[in-house]
Amino acid sequence: MTATVFLLNGPNLNLLGSREPDIYGSQTLCDIEAMVRDRANDLGLAVDFRQSNHEGDLVDWLHEAQREGARAVLLNAGAYTHTSIALLDAIKAIAVPVIEVHLSDPGTREPFRHHSYVAIAAVATVQGLGAQSYIVALEKVAAL
Ligand code: CA2
């Protein structure tokens, strides 16, 4: 059976491509989804690609990844990365490996972006490569 990777995107990422291209690139989330699907196809992985602006949706989807037996979760939690103990607890509560993904490198930006709750429980972080961060994270899953 084909392994499924949940790719979860958090708040404001639905607006990608519209503003701040210097930080996040000019691709839309749809463009990124298409890139990810192409690469996943090559790697023999299925992708469940989602976005929500609501913290609880991301928590529910992490639980769902566990219930559905996902191979891994790629999580760009957006700004919840820096604030959400609920997401940290959800990642700790599931056995599915979670890889943290960011387009930018939050460590080189404002100090309030330097701490990541997600990183505490994630098995790896890929950041600062623009849309390519998602591809590198997917390749890490294939190598798990
Ligand atoms: O670099 C990343 O991927 C981030 O997760 C993006 C988040 C930010 O809060 C994190 O610190 C790093 C923000 C996504 C906001 O996306 C926008 C899209 C269009 C216009 C403005 C922001």
Side-chain angles (χ1 to χ4, degrees):
M1 208 178 72
T2 308
T4 299
V5 178
F6 275 42
L7 208 164
L8 307 182
N9 294 283
N12 298 306
L13 287 160
N14 55 313
L15 299 179
L16 278 181
S18 62
R19 292 184 55 196
E20 304 195 75
D22 45 321
I23 300 175
Y24 299 119
S26 53
Q27 285 166 298
T28 65
L29 197 59
C30 276
D31 295 335
I32 293 175
E33 178 176 359
M35 271 178 60
V36 164
R37 287 196 185 284
D38 270 3
R39 187 69 186 117
N41 202 39
D42 293 344
L43 296 169
L45 295 167
V47 172
D48 197 328
F49 194 102
R50 304 180 188 186
Q51 187 275 333
S52 176
N53 294 321
H54 305 280
E55 187 176 15
D57 285 344
L58 297 168
V59 170
D60 287 343
W61 292 344
L62 286 161
H63 299 174
E64 188 181 335
Q66 169 78 24
R67 277 198 312 276
E68 298 296 319
R71 169 70 58 86
V73 176
L74 307 189
L75 175 62
N76 184 348
Y80 291 139
T81 302
H82 316 298
T83 62
S84 180
I85 298 169
L87 281 178
L88 168 60
D89 287 345
I91 296 166
K92 283 183 170 171
I94 64 174
V96 181
V98 174
I99 299 181
E100 177 183 24
V101 179
H102 298 288
L103 296 153
S104 66
D105 178 354
T108 63
R109 298 179 60 195
E110 305 95 322
F112 59 80
R113 295 186 202 275
H114 292 186
H115 179 261
S116 166
Y117 283 102
V118 170
I120 294 170
V123 298
T125 297
V126 183
Q127 60 191 18
L129 306 175
Q132 200 61 24
S133 293
Y134 289 80
I135 302 297
V136 171
L138 199 60
E139 289 168 351
K140 280 190 186 291
V141 173
L144 278 178

